[in-house]
């Protein structure tokens, strides 16, 4: 049996649900679209450098208790152009990454928390 007997050249019996068997010109555009989407997702979540410098400046000047008041947050929203939720999330992440790992700040935070708890219990 020859190869010609195995395949007669017709594609009629193939299931067309798998899409075209021969690449068409649109693949290049689709690849470019996918690449752009991946790059966009990679950039997502990264704030501009000038924005983070404003937030870091606030952070450094309040390193012993880095919990901005509502007034501080409103001012940071105006200065950075970020949404309040973005400001809140940045501080949450910053505290997780940098504050609780610092032994001196964690001691300060424990004593401050104790004072707050005693005030709240009144």
């Amino acid at each position: 049996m020859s190869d010609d007997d195995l395949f007669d050249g017709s594609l009629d019996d193939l299931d067309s649900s798998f899409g075209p068997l021969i690449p068409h010109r649109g693949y290049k555009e689709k690849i470019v679209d996918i690449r752009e989407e991946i790059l966009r997702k990679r950039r997502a979540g990264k704030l501009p450098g000038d924005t983070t410098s404003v937030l870091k400046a606030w952070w450094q000047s309040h390193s012993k208790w880095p919990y901005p008041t509502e007034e501080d947050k409103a001012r940071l929203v105006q200065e950075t152009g970020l949404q309040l939720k973005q400001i809140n999330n940045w501080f949450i992440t910053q505290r997780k990454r940098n504050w609780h790992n610092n032994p001196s700040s964690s001691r300060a935070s424990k004593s401050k928390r104790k004072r707050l708890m005693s005030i709240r219990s009144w």
Side-chain angles (χ1 to χ4, degrees), residues 29-41:
E29 290 82 10
K30 288 181 183 180
I31 290 171
V32 169
D33 290 344
I34 291 170
R35 182 176 182 274
E36 288 175 0
E37 183 180 345
I38 290 169
L39 291 174
R40 197 171 30 253
K41 285 182 180 180

Side-chain angles (χ1 to χ4, degrees), residues 4-68:
D4 292 337
D5 294 335
L6 292 174
F7 181 70
D8 65 359
S10 105
L11 300 176
D12 295 337
D13 295 336
L14 294 177
D15 185 0
S16 63
S17 65
F18 293 111
L21 296 175
I22 301 170
H24 57 80
R25 292 182 305 174
Y27 279 158
K28 183 176 181 180
E29 290 82 10
K30 288 181 183 180
I31 290 171
V32 169
D33 290 344
I34 291 170
R35 182 176 182 274
E36 288 175 0
E37 183 180 345
I38 290 169
L39 291 174
R40 197 171 30 253
K41 285 182 180 180
R42 189 179 300 159
R43 283 190 301 260
K46 293 197 177 206
L47 300 175
D50 56 339
T51 300
T52 54
S53 63
V54 170
L55 297 172
K56 285 180 181 179
W58 191 98
W59 172 268
Q60 289 172 348
S61 65
H62 297 84
S63 61
K64 291 190 184 214
W65 189 249
Y67 289 88

Side-chain angles (χ1 to χ4, degrees), residues 89-100:
N89 288 340
W90 188 89
F91 278 101
I92 290 167
T93 303
Q94 187 74 357
R95 285 189 294 266
K96 284 180 183 176
R97 289 180 180 166
N98 300 304
W99 190 48
H100 296 298

